[in-house]
Amino acid sequence: TPSELALVRMSNDKKLPVDQRRNYKGVGNCIARIAKEEGAPALFTGAPATVLRACLLSACAMGITSEIKMRLSKSGYFGEGGKAFGGVPMLFCATLVSSFCANTVANPFDVVKSRMQSSAAEYGSMVDCFVKTVADEGVLKLWSGFVPAFLKLAPYTVISLLLTDHITKIVTGKEAL
C-alpha cells in the first residue's frame, strides 16, 4: 500500500490550504518523506482496510458471478443453457451485476482506507474510522464515490472474468465460473 498511500496523499495535498500543503515532487518523494517524517510503518496506513476491501471485492465478484451465471443459464433468456453467442451475453450480465454487488460491499472499506491514508492522526483504527464517519456524517457517507468506483470496476470485472472464463474453457475444456 505505499504507492496507494502516496496516491491518496498527493491527491489530497491539492485540496489543502496552501500553507498546509506538503508539495510532494512525485511518488518517490512522497513515499520517502512519509517514511522519514512519520516512520516506515506509516507507509502501511490503511493496510487492513485495503486487504479487507480486496478480499470482499474478489469474493463477491467471483461468487456472485457464478451464482448469477447459473441462474441465468436456467432462465432461458440467453438460449439453451445460456449458450447463445458463446455464452458472452449471459456472462456479461452476470459480471455486471456481480460488479455492482461487489462495489456495494467493498465501497465502505475504500472510504475508510482513503480517510485513514489522508489523515491517519484522526483515527485510532479502522473501526474508529468507521464509527466516526457514521456518527459525524451518516451511514450513507460510506458509499460516497460509489458511482465513479463502479464505473471503474465494472469494465475491469466484465473483461477480466470474461477472459478468465474463455481462457479456462480453451485450456481445460471446463468453465471457470
Side-chain angles (χ1 to χ4, degrees):
T1 64
S3 59
E4 199 170 305
L5 174 64
L7 173 72
V8 170
R9 291 274 182 99
M10 290 173 66
S11 297
N12 286 337
D13 200 43
K14 294 174 181 158
K15 297 174 187 174
L16 294 171
V18 177
D19 61 320
Q20 293 177 13
R21 290 184 186 167
R22 296 177 182 106
N23 297 315
Y24 298 117
K25 293 180 175 93
V27 175
N29 174 256
C30 181
I31 291 171
R33 282 185 51 197
I34 291 169
K36 182 180 176 184
E37 296 167 13
E38 301 172 40
L43 292 171
F44 296 93
T45 301
T50 301
V51 170
L52 278 171
R53 177 193 173 276
C55 290
L56 290 169
L57 198 65
S58 297
C60 286
M62 300 292 282
I64 293 171
T65 296
S66 256
E67 181 66 24
I68 292 176
K69 184 179 167 189
M70 181 182 68
R71 290 173 185 254
L72 288 177
S73 68
K74 293 176 183 176
S75 72
Y77 293 126
F78 297 95
E80 188 177 326
K83 302 295 182 199
F85 301 101
V88 172
M90 180 188 65
L91 192 53
F92 175 84
C93 290
T95 54
L96 194 60
V97 171
S98 75
S99 179
F100 181 85
C101 295
N103 204 54
T104 301
V105 170
N107 205 82
F109 293 93
D110 201 25
V111 169
V112 166
K113 172 198 70 72
S114 295
R115 285 174 172 243
M116 290 184 71
Q117 290 176 332
S118 64
S119 54
E122 280 185 49
Y123 308 106
S125 67
M126 181 176 65
V127 174
D128 183 45
C129 186
F130 266 112
V131 171
K132 285 181 179 175
T133 300
V134 172
D136 296 344
E137 301 173 67
V139 72
L140 291 180
K141 189 64 179 178
L142 296 173
W143 284 274
S144 65
F146 177 86
V147 172
F150 174 67
L151 292 175
K152 180 180 100 175
L153 179 67
Y156 165 79
T157 305
V158 169
I159 292 167
S160 63
L161 293 183
L162 274 167
L163 286 173
T164 298
D165 198 58
H166 284 288
I167 291 170
T168 302
K169 279 181 197 173
I170 291 168
V171 174
T172 68
K174 298 176 184 177
E175 295 180 348
L177 304 167

